[in-house]
Amino acid sequence: MTRLIHLTDLHFGLHRTDLVTPLRDAVLSCKADAVVVSGDLTQRARPAQFRAAMTFLTGLNLPFLAVPGNHDVPLFNPVLRLFDPFGRYRRGALRDMTPGLRIGRLRLFGINTADPLVVRGGIARPDQIDRVCTAMRQESEDVTNILVAHHPFEEPPDFVRGETKGAPAALQRMTQAGLQVILSGHLHHWTTGLGIAADAARPVFQLHGGTALCARLGEQDHGFAVLDFAADARLTVTAWMVDEGAGRFVPRPGSVFARRGGGWVRAA
Ligand SMILES: [Fe+2]
Ligand SMILES: [Fe+2]
């Protein structure tokens, strides 16, 4: 079994300072093989905010893969936003905005969907999708291909905003190339296995993570997800959500999915 932790929308700079240590403790207690962070590491892409995010992530002492979100581009500095939108991310966080990681039989691909030309929206850049598709086609059958992106490629029914430019075509191409899982964030709303039911298979398992730490007014359901990929093509997803009274993250009952005939179904 390979265990991944999916964190998203940390928003360092406008984050729940009281939850940082409980989040760290909970993540470490899971004994995961790697951590994935699907963007919005910071609230306003300020150097100190990137430092705080990286201090947290490197302090976990686990392999991790992170990609930028729309909040990791400076918003109030038009010169930087236009001429060097990802400079602060690359200098203050991670140079590689399309990182890859191989853990056991999992192959992870990170892409950068943040679009400096719009405030919230994202974009599936064709050159990045091309590279991911080419790499996935070269993987053997027993490898699970996982995409990590900030913006969702398909939105849940209550959140249909069409925010990710080029997403439908990119999703179709990546599915044909062997994509099996997408881990994304941005919506600050949890959806585990979009559209998948016991009798409704989907080729791609999509997990939209809620925010782990964001302190914006009205934010709730802070948490993270643990994904256990078993050798028998079963995937168990366990959401660890904050217990506000206890001031710590606790696991909820897990959901089990199974890969059958080229698609995911919800298992009993
Ligand atoms: Fe966010
Ligand atoms: Fe976002």
Side-chain angles (χ1 to χ4, degrees):
M1 187 192 79
T2 305
R3 172 167 285 186
L4 287 186
I5 284 184
H6 178 207
L7 298 174
T8 193
D9 296 81
L10 299 167
H11 286 261
F12 272 94
L14 183 61
H15 63 287
R16 289 275 302 266
T17 54
D18 60 317
L19 293 184
V20 174
T21 300
L23 179 62
R24 179 180 185 277
D25 292 347
V27 167
L28 291 180
S29 75
C30 292
K31 309 266 183 244
D33 297 293
V35 174
V36 161
V37 190
S38 54
D40 282 359
L41 276 60
T42 67
Q43 174 65 13
R44 284 291 165 241
R46 299 204 166 107
Q49 296 174 353
F50 281 122
R51 275 197 298 279
M54 292 308 290
T55 298
F56 176 80
L57 292 174
T58 57
L60 297 173
N61 287 315
L62 288 166
F64 73 91
L65 178 150
V67 294
N70 53 305
H71 277 263
D72 298 317
V73 177
L75 181 62
F76 299 123
N77 185 327
V79 175
L80 276 184
R81 192 170 178 89
L82 270 177
F83 298 108
D84 191 19
F86 299 107
R88 284 185 175 172
Y89 180 91
R90 300 189 70 215
R91 288 188 296 274
L94 297 154
R95 292 212 69 78
D96 190 355
M97 297 188 294
T98 57
L101 190 63
R102 194 182 291 279
I103 299 283
R105 294 202 183 282
L106 308 183
R107 176 83 155 93
L108 293 109
F109 301 92
I111 60 168
N112 172 20
T113 56
D115 182 359
L117 300 179
V118 293
V119 173
R120 278 183 55 91
I123 181 167
R125 292 180 171 83
D127 60 324
Q128 294 183 21
I129 303 301
D130 284 347
R131 281 202 298 274
V132 168
C133 286
T134 301
M136 286 192 301
R137 284 205 172 89
Q138 289 165 357
E139 292 294 342
S140 63
E141 290 274 305
D142 60 352
V143 167
T144 301
N145 289 311
I146 302 172
L147 186 82
V148 181
H150 180 60
H151 292 82
F153 275 71
E154 215 176 341
E155 294 154 329
D158 295 348
F159 282 81
V160 176
R161 300 169 178 156
E163 284 198 4
T164 314
K165 200 173 159 193
L171 180 57
Q172 192 176 20
R173 288 189 57 212
M174 292 190 292
T175 304
Q176 287 166 354
L179 179 65
Q180 292 189 22
V181 175
I182 301 178
L183 305 178
S184 60
H186 183 62
L187 301 175
H188 293 214
H189 174 82
W190 291 92
T191 308
T192 303
L194 179 69
I196 299 172
D199 56 355
R202 286 278 196 114
V204 178
F205 173 89
Q206 297 180 61
L207 173 56
H208 305 80
T211 179
L213 291 174
C214 185
R216 267 189 320 223
L217 205 63
E219 293 287 359
Q220 54 186 3
D221 294 336
H222 294 85
F224 63 94
V226 177
L227 293 94
D228 290 324
F229 291 86
D232 63 356
R234 285 166 83 88
L235 166 61
T236 303
V237 182
T238 307
W240 282 59
M241 309 303 287
V242 72
D243 177 334
E244 294 286 358
R248 62 192 180 94
F249 292 84
V250 293
R252 298 246 176 104
S255 304
V256 184
F257 301 86
R259 185 100 186 144
R260 278 194 214 121
W264 291 100
V265 290
R266 194 177 284 267

